């Protein structure tokens, strides 16, 4: 029953029309109109609240790159990151989170070799001995990762099996959201885990949080501000090209010598704009022999920023196409080729960085894994996925974390032997030298239990 004034059951229904049927229809139409108006007002209020909350955050492209005419106003609302907002001593290095949307079949990436359970329930989805790569503790890595073999041999590539969290459902949306937030929305306040990590990383430029793509991922949404861009050259002032330099100069003049915190924010933002324009104008040539393809083009943007001195601290790359209910394959099929694209991109990235790779860690994860048994030509949603780590810092092994076998499955899924957010925290801790207490603050309502990852 509607809570609005005009309703079919109201006493004055008869005045709406002589015909009772027409009267009911008119009453229903009036009620629906009233409800729609109220809902529109509610959503408008929420939108205004969100806009107000955004005003205290660092510069996302949301305001600075919305148009030259509104640029001064946008910068006046402290869009760019101010070093005065830093919370701790500066940490060094870069952490890149690659998120595989769709639910990666972790057992297609790494799996215990010659396992009787796997041989029985997924005979067509096994990593073959011929072409697979041997890992520690009797595991085998898909041959699609051959491009990264030299980093595996150097102790810089490792894998954590059986990763999940009890809060993750088998809904793509819910699980991906929780993974990016570092918990449930109610626990995190909708703040991304990488944005929370930035709290501990100290002063930085406007490029310290970067999402490669057209929209900002949930992991970077929060208090510190972040930039989303498809390419380095796309970071710019919108509007007529003829007026961009003059607009930037006017903004700089307007916010110089005003003895206000916004001055520092604007100067940081304009410095970022200047650097992006310079990098774009100079062009970018990877190291000799390096070729980026497919998802590698996202890595190329980060290589250009890192090598160009943009001081990137955290960054994200998203890659879709992992929901493999059919035609999956592990010996040259779809999944094998898709993993090969990813591995090739990561190898090109580290090859391109050269010595700078020593300060970079790449973590690859997905919202969940797949069930242990095949469904025919594919696999269905399941828990117990895999996290891959490629780092300039030497790892403690190539098969990391806890593994207790597949003898006792969790409802047809790989059991949780390693909590996802403990692994996230351990990667960040190893990259930046964080304390346990600092990691605890990143993941609310969870007591951090370190996982040994680095040597």
């Amino acid at each position: 029953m509607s809570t609005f004034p005009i309703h079919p059951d109201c006493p004055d229904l008869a005045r709406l029309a002589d015909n009772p049927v027409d009267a009911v229809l008119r009453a229903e139409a009036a009620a629906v109109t009233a409800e729609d108006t109220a809902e529109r007002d509610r959503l408008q209020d929420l939108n205004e609240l969100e806009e107000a909350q955004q005003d205290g955050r660092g510069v996302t492209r949301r305001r600075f790159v919305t148009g030259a005419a509104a640029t001064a106003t946008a910068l006046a609302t402290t869009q760019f990151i101010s070093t005065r907002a830093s919370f701790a001593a500066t940490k060094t290095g870069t952490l890149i989170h690659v998120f595989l949307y769709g639910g990666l079949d972790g057992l297609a990436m790494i799996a215990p070799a010659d396992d009787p359970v796997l041989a029985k329930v997924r005979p067509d989805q096994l990593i073959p001995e011929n072409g697979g790569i041997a890992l520690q503790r009797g595991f085998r890595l898909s041959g699609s990762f051959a491009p990264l073999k030299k980093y595996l041999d150097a102790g810089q590539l490792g894998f954590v099996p059986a990763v999940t969290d009890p809060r993750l459902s088998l809904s793509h949306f819910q699980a991906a959201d929780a993974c990016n937030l570092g918990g449930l929305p109610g626990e995190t306040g909708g703040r991304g885990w990488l944005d929370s990590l930035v709290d501990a990383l100290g002063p930085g430029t406007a490029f310290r949080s970067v999402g490669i793509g057209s929209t900002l991922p949930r992991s970077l949404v929060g208090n510190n501000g972040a930039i989303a861009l498809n390419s380095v050259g796309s970071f710019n002032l919108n509007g007529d090209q003829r007026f961009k330099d003059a607009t930037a100069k006017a903004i700089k003049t307007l916010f110089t010598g005003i003895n206000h915190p916004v001055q520092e924010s604007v100067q940081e933002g304009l410095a970022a704009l200047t650097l992006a324009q310079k990098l774009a104008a100079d062009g970018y040539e990877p190291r000799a022999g390096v070729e980026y393809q497919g998802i590698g083009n996202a890595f190329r943007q980060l290589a250009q920023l890192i090598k160009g001195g943009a001081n990137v601290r955290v960054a994200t790359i998203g890659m879709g196409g992992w929901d493999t209910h059919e035609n999956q394959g592990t010996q040259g099929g779809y999944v094998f080729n898709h993993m090969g694209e990813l591995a090739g991109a990561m190898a090109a990235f580290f090859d391109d960085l050269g010595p700078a790779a020593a300060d970079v860690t790449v973590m690859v994860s997905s919202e969940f894994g797949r069930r242990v048994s095949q469904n025919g030509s594919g696999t269905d949603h399941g828990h117990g996925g895999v996290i891959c780590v490629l780092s300039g810092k030497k790892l403690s092994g190539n098969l990391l974390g806890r593994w207790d076998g597949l003898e006792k499955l969790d409802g047809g899924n790989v059991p949780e032997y390693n909590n996802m957010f403990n692994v996230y925290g351990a990667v960040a801790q190893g990259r930046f030298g964080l304390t346990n207490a600092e990691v605890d603050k990143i993941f609310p309502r969870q007591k951090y239990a370190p996982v040994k990852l680095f040597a």
Side-chain angles (χ1 to χ4, degrees):
M1 179 178 291
S2 172
T3 58
F4 291 87
I6 303 177
H7 186 269
D9 292 338
C10 67
D12 56 352
L13 179 62
R15 71 180 174 81
L16 295 178
D18 295 334
N19 186 310
V21 175
D22 290 342
V24 168
L25 292 176
R26 291 180 182 179
E28 288 286 6
V32 169
T33 298
E35 289 173 353
D36 286 346
T37 300
E39 181 66 7
R40 184 178 63 249
D41 291 344
R42 186 183 72 83
L43 292 175
Q44 184 174 345
D45 290 342
L46 287 175
N47 185 65
E48 290 174 355
L49 176 61
E50 182 187 59
E51 292 289 341
Q53 291 171 338
Q54 288 282 351
D55 280 345
R57 300 174 180 173
V59 181
T60 64
R61 12 172 235 110
R62 175 181 182 110
R63 291 189 183 273
F64 183 65
V65 200
T66 51
T71 302
T73 302
L75 291 171
T77 57
T78 63
Q79 281 281 333
F80 279 108
I81 300 165
S82 170
T83 56
R84 297 180 189 179
S86 304
F87 300 96
T90 301
K91 311 293 183 180
T92 59
T94 304
L95 172 61
I96 299 166
H97 186 194
V98 181
F99 199 83
L100 308 182
Y101 290 92
L104 165 71
D105 182 6
L107 291 172
M109 182 178 285
I110 64 167
D114 305 317
D115 185 274
V117 176
L118 295 181
K120 180 179 180 181
V121 301
R122 61 160 59 202
D124 302 321
Q125 304 294 339
L126 300 175
I127 300 174
E129 180 179 358
N130 183 20
I133 302 170
L135 298 179
Q136 295 166 339
R137 289 189 265 171
F139 268 68
R140 188 177 292 150
L141 169 65
S142 168
S144 61
F145 275 77
L148 286 165
K149 182 67 162 56
K150 68 178 179 180
Y151 294 107
L152 181 73
D153 294 342
Q156 295 176 258
L157 178 67
F159 302 84
V160 185
V163 177
T164 189
D165 183 274
R167 287 166 286 190
L168 304 180
S169 72
L170 293 181
S171 158
H172 291 296
F173 178 83
Q174 188 277 340
D177 198 45
C179 291
N180 280 288
L181 294 177
L184 299 177
E187 299 170 351
T188 63
R191 186 183 186 192
W193 79 275
L194 286 175
D195 184 74
S196 296
L197 169 60
V198 169
D199 284 356
L201 300 186
T205 70
F207 282 114
R208 67 173 174 174
S209 299
V210 177
I212 303 300
S214 58
T215 58
L216 201 65
R218 291 274 273 172
S219 59
L220 290 177
V221 172
N223 301 335
N224 293 290
I227 293 170
L229 49 85
N230 285 309
S231 66
V232 174
S234 69
F235 185 74
N236 209 334
L237 287 171
N238 283 349
D240 194 314
Q241 182 66 41
R242 295 173 298 171
F243 307 123
K244 289 182 180 180
D245 290 343
T247 300
K249 183 177 180 180
I251 294 169
K252 183 176 181 179
T253 301
L254 182 63
F255 291 102
T256 297
I258 61 175
N259 192 29
H260 190 280
V262 72
Q263 174 177 315
E264 185 176 355
S265 298
V266 172
Q267 297 298 332
E268 291 281 359
L270 291 176
L273 179 62
T274 300
L275 176 59
Q277 290 176 331
K278 180 182 183 301
L279 292 175
D282 291 345
Y284 183 69
E285 286 294 330
R287 287 169 66 97
V290 172
E291 183 178 354
Y292 288 104
Q293 296 181 344
I295 194 65
N297 289 307
F299 283 97
R300 177 186 172 121
Q301 306 310 314
L302 290 177
Q304 184 176 7
L305 287 172
I306 292 169
K307 292 167 68 176
N311 197 24
V312 178
R313 299 289 175 76
V314 297
T316 64
I317 293 175
M319 184 181 186
W322 299 95
D323 195 13
T324 52
H325 291 276
E326 58 186 9
N327 301 322
Q328 179 171 311
T330 55
Q331 304 181 46
Y334 173 80
V335 162
F336 183 95
N337 293 333
H338 215 38
M339 290 192 296
E341 178 186 340
L342 174 63
M346 292 167 65
F349 179 56
F350 258 47
D351 289 349
D352 191 13
L353 290 179
D359 296 322
V360 175
T361 296
V362 179
M363 180 180 74
V364 182
S365 71
S366 190
E367 66 262 40
F368 45 65
R370 320 293 291 185
R371 290 178 64 81
V372 174
S373 62
Q374 65 184 60
N375 66 7
S377 64
T379 52
D380 294 323
H381 300 180
H383 292 299
V386 168
I387 287 180
C388 169
V389 181
L390 172 65
S391 181
K393 295 182 66 175
K394 190 170 184 178
L395 301 172
S396 61
N398 57 40
L399 199 286
L400 305 163
R402 175 186 164 197
W403 176 256
D404 290 344
L406 296 172
E407 288 75 20
K408 294 183 179 180
L409 301 182
D410 181 10
N413 299 307
V414 179
E416 180 192 320
Y417 294 139
N418 301 286
N419 180 267
M420 174 174 285
F421 302 125
N422 285 337
V423 177
Y424 280 15
V427 172
Q429 185 173 47
R431 176 69 271 163
F432 297 113
L434 305 178
T435 65
N436 286 0
E438 287 174 317
V439 178
D440 256 335
K441 294 179 181 179
I442 299 172
F443 303 101
R445 300 191 185 179
Q446 173 165 319
K447 182 65 178 175
Y448 173 58
V451 180
K452 175 69 173 176
L453 299 180
F454 292 89

